[in-house]
């Protein structure tokens, strides 16, 4: 049990395995409040009081921003839950055991965090001699810690170990989708919820992507994958749906915009040691002859020094089978080694071990997709009107494709729910 604000500050400063939580917004603000409280308790000079009050306001503000003004204990323990450290990485990597010294350090940190989570605003003010400051400061509520931090130390350690083993570590336990930007892996808080069961048609090409991904997750040989073909056929949706289907098995997706391909070595450095499986997703891929990122991707796929790590695959989508745009002038121009130029245009796609083709459906397949979507939405009682309307919709909206079918069904469902006719 913590008996003074000085002890609280020292205990927080002495965290070892979970020291990383001090870099997170709420714990950092709370630690600043404790340090300011120590100075205020030692000396009631106006500058120390002012510093303490500023720290109080800052802490309460960030606590409210995170939505935890009613449960400080949950906020602090949840932050620890998503910390990436030696213990969480060992568990996520399915190691059999950890050294006893680390185990004892984790148990101590669990105790310290649990005790810090019980500190009330009244305790802080009393310790600082500010109970009668007359400012009516905002108070937070302690609440309850997350379930994994409840109980005895040994139980908590076991529960945390199992949690990391099942969910991964650090931000990869909290999020499933990420994007590469400014040489950082940034989490996507609200990823596309697309599921495989919602994608209609294309069972054969989609099964190839599924089988490759499952093999990858099982530690079996798997290939980089190029999903290419006509627009609106579900190439990108397939990758997003794979994430939502298999993230519970350790799959994570990092979207890397094409213009950042030169950063690939930096991304590799950040994920190589993470005990998770990553798909590096490059959407809508194609290159011009003068595009410098072409050589970067070619090097990544085969033969570069900064090769992709064993825990990562590259999945790319493109409307083109041959990713480097080839002009007639490339075939008929004045290049002395014309065949080499043509082969260069074709070589990048060949470096993907698996190339999956998605083509536009014919009328029968298109109407089959419309029917399946209608059953999914519960409006199959209007199939004759839906089929007729879908064909008309496709004529106006660029032809038959799964995307066009989805857009029409969304329109039709909305109209039917409002009691409007489809024609």
């Amino acid at each position: 049990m913590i008996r003074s604000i000085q002890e609280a500050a020292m205990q927080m400063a002495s965290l070892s395995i979970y020291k990383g939580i001090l870099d997170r917004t709420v714990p950092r603000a709370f630690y600043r409040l404790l340090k300011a409280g120590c100075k205020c308790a030692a000396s009631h000079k106006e500058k120390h009081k002012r510093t303490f009050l500023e720290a109080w306001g800052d802490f309460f503000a960030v606590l409210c921003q995170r939505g935890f003004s009613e449960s400080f204990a949950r906020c602090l323990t949840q932050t620890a839950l998503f910390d990436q450290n030696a213990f969480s990485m060992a568990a996520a990597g399915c190691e059999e055991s950890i050294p006893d010294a680390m185990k004892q350090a984790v148990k101590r940190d669990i105790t310290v965090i649990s005790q810090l989570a019980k500190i009330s605003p009244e305790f802080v003010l009393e310790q600082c001699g500010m109970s009668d400051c007359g400012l009516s400061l905002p108070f937070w509520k302690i609440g309850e810690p997350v379930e994994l931090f409840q109980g005895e130390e040994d139980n908590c350690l076991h529960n945390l170990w199992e949690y990391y083993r099942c969910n991964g570590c650090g931000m990869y336990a909290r999020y499933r989708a990420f994007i590469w930007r400014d040489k950082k892996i940034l989490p996507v808080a609200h990823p596309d919820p697309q599921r495989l069961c919602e994608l209609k048609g294309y069972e054969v090409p989609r099964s190839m992507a599924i089988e490759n991904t499952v093999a990858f997750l099982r530690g079996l040989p798997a290939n980089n994958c190029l999903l290419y073909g006509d627009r609106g056929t579900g190439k990108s949706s397939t990758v997003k749906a794979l994430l939502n289907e298999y993230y519970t098995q350790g799959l994570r997706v990092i979207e890397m915009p094409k213009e950042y391909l030169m950063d690939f070595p930096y991304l590799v450095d950040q994920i190589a040691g993470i005990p998770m499986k990553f798909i590096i997703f490059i959407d809508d891929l194609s290159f011009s002859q003068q595009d410098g990122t072409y050589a970067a991707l070619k090097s990544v796929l085969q033969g570069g020094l900064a090769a992709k790590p064993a825990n990562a695959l590259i999945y790319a989508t493109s409307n083109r089978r041959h990713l480097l745009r080839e002009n007639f002038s490339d075939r008929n121009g004045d290049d002395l080694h014309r065949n080499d130029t043509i082969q260069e245009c074709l070589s990048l796609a060949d470096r993907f071990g698996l190339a999956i083709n998605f083509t536009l459906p014919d009328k029968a397949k298109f109407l089959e997709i419309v029917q399946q979507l209608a059953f999914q939405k519960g409006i199959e009682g209007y199939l004759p009107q839906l089929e007729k309307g879908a064909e008309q919709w496709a004529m106006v909206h660029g032809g038959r494709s799964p995307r066009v079918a989805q857009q029409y069904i969304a329109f039709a469902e909305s109209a039917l729910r409002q009691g409007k006719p489809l024609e």
Side-chain angles (χ1 to χ4, degrees):
M1 180 178 179
I2 293 176
R3 293 175 293 273
S4 69
I5 196 167
Q6 290 84 0
E7 181 185 353
M10 292 177 64
Q11 291 277 36
M12 199 165 189
S14 68
L15 289 170
S16 55
I17 303 300
Y18 281 91
K19 197 175 189 67
I21 72 170
L22 297 179
D23 295 327
R24 304 296 295 274
T25 304
V26 172
R28 183 171 63 242
F30 186 62
Y31 184 44
R32 177 172 171 253
L33 174 63
L34 294 178
K35 291 193 295 182
C38 290
K39 292 182 179 179
C40 190
S43 172
H44 285 288
K45 292 182 179 180
E46 288 301 316
K47 66 176 183 178
H48 291 148
K49 289 183 179 180
R50 186 165 54 252
T51 300
F52 170 75
L53 293 173
E54 289 175 353
W56 184 287
D58 291 344
F59 168 67
F60 192 80
V62 297
L63 197 61
C64 290
Q65 289 172 5
R66 297 298 187 274
F68 286 104
S69 60
E70 299 293 305
S71 184
F72 167 60
R74 185 170 188 82
C75 180
L76 189 63
T77 52
Q78 183 172 284
T79 301
L81 197 65
F82 298 126
D83 186 52
Q84 182 174 313
N85 54 56
F87 173 66
S88 62
M89 288 186 67
C94 297
E95 295 185 15
E96 293 300 322
S97 61
I98 58 173
D100 287 339
M102 183 190 296
K103 185 179 295 185
Q104 294 305 315
V106 171
K107 290 167 67 174
R108 179 187 178 277
D109 282 1
I110 290 172
T111 300
V112 169
I113 292 169
S114 298
Q115 291 179 351
L116 290 169
K118 297 176 182 177
I119 292 179
S120 68
E122 293 87 353
F123 173 83
V124 176
L125 289 176
E126 179 184 350
Q127 287 291 309
C128 298
M130 295 285 287
S131 297
D132 58 351
C133 65
L135 294 177
S136 299
L137 296 175
F139 280 18
W140 64 89
K141 293 183 180 179
I142 297 175
E144 295 293 330
V146 296
E147 187 175 352
L148 296 177
F149 268 82
Q150 298 177 17
E152 300 296 325
E153 292 174 353
D154 288 330
N155 288 336
C156 290
L157 184 142
H158 173 75
N159 292 338
L160 286 169
W161 180 268
E162 292 301 317
Y163 173 83
Y164 296 133
R165 185 184 292 272
C166 295
N167 297 282
C169 59
M171 67 177 178
Y172 303 107
R174 186 170 190 174
Y175 302 100
R176 69 185 77 165
F178 304 85
I179 188 167
W180 177 261
R181 187 170 292 142
D182 299 327
K183 291 185 170 57
K184 295 179 182 178
I185 299 173
L186 304 177
V188 177
H190 305 288
D192 191 322
Q194 184 76 68
R195 302 302 299 264
L196 286 173
C197 63
E198 297 171 349
L199 300 176
K200 307 304 179 184
Y202 300 88
E203 286 80 7
V204 173
R206 193 166 289 120
S207 67
M208 296 172 63
I210 293 172
E211 290 171 4
N212 190 65
T213 304
V214 170
F216 174 51
L217 293 173
R218 292 177 178 174
L220 300 173
N223 284 302
N224 298 316
C225 184
L226 173 65
L227 296 85
Y228 72 96
D230 299 304
R231 68 187 189 280
T233 50
K235 303 180 295 295
S236 299
S237 294
T238 295
V239 178
K240 297 170 186 176
L242 286 171
L243 170 63
N244 294 324
E245 195 75 22
Y246 296 108
Y247 77 94
T248 57
Q249 298 182 32
L251 181 65
R252 301 293 183 267
V253 170
I254 304 173
E255 183 174 357
M256 190 173 204
K258 190 197 75 171
E259 59 267 25
Y260 293 131
L261 284 174
M262 301 294 287
D263 292 344
F264 193 85
Y266 301 104
L267 187 151
V268 166
D269 288 344
Q270 294 186 31
I271 65 172
I274 303 298
M276 312 287 288
K277 298 289 188 179
F278 294 92
I279 287 177
I280 301 171
F281 177 41
I282 309 169
D283 198 19
D284 197 18
L285 188 62
S286 66
F287 301 95
S288 65
Q289 291 283 359
Q290 293 77 32
D291 199 328
T293 57
Y294 172 83
L297 180 58
K298 188 175 179 181
S299 176
V300 165
L301 288 170
Q302 184 177 331
L305 290 176
K308 65 178 180 62
N311 65 337
L313 287 179
I314 297 173
Y315 279 29
T317 66
S318 177
N319 293 338
R320 304 169 59 90
R321 174 66 175 89
H322 305 308
L323 301 175
L324 184 62
R325 293 191 183 97
E326 180 190 7
N327 301 317
F328 281 109
S329 60
D330 297 325
R331 295 178 179 267
N332 303 316
D334 58 0
D335 193 337
L336 294 176
H337 303 284
R338 185 171 67 250
N339 186 62
D340 289 348
T341 299
I342 295 172
Q343 291 304 314
E344 177 71 9
C345 292
L346 306 179
S347 64
L348 182 59
D350 293 339
R351 296 191 180 221
F352 286 90
L354 184 62
I356 305 174
N357 187 16
F358 289 71
T359 59
L360 288 175
D362 58 20
K363 180 178 179 179
K365 286 291 184 182
F366 175 69
L367 293 180
E368 182 180 331
I369 292 172
V370 170
Q371 293 168 8
Q372 292 174 344
L373 290 172
F375 274 95
Q376 180 178 301
K377 298 297 183 179
I379 55 175
E380 66 276 8
Y382 300 88
L383 276 180
Q385 301 98 304
L386 290 173
E387 291 177 358
K388 180 180 178 181
E391 275 290 286
Q392 295 173 345
W393 184 277
M395 291 175 62
V396 178
H397 292 82
R400 304 183 185 102
S401 73
R403 179 187 297 162
V404 168
Q406 285 185 330
Q407 292 169 347
Y408 173 71
I409 289 297
F411 161 79
E413 181 186 12
S414 177
L416 291 170
R417 301 297 184 211
Q418 299 177 67
K420 298 179 180 179
L422 293 179
E423 299 185 29

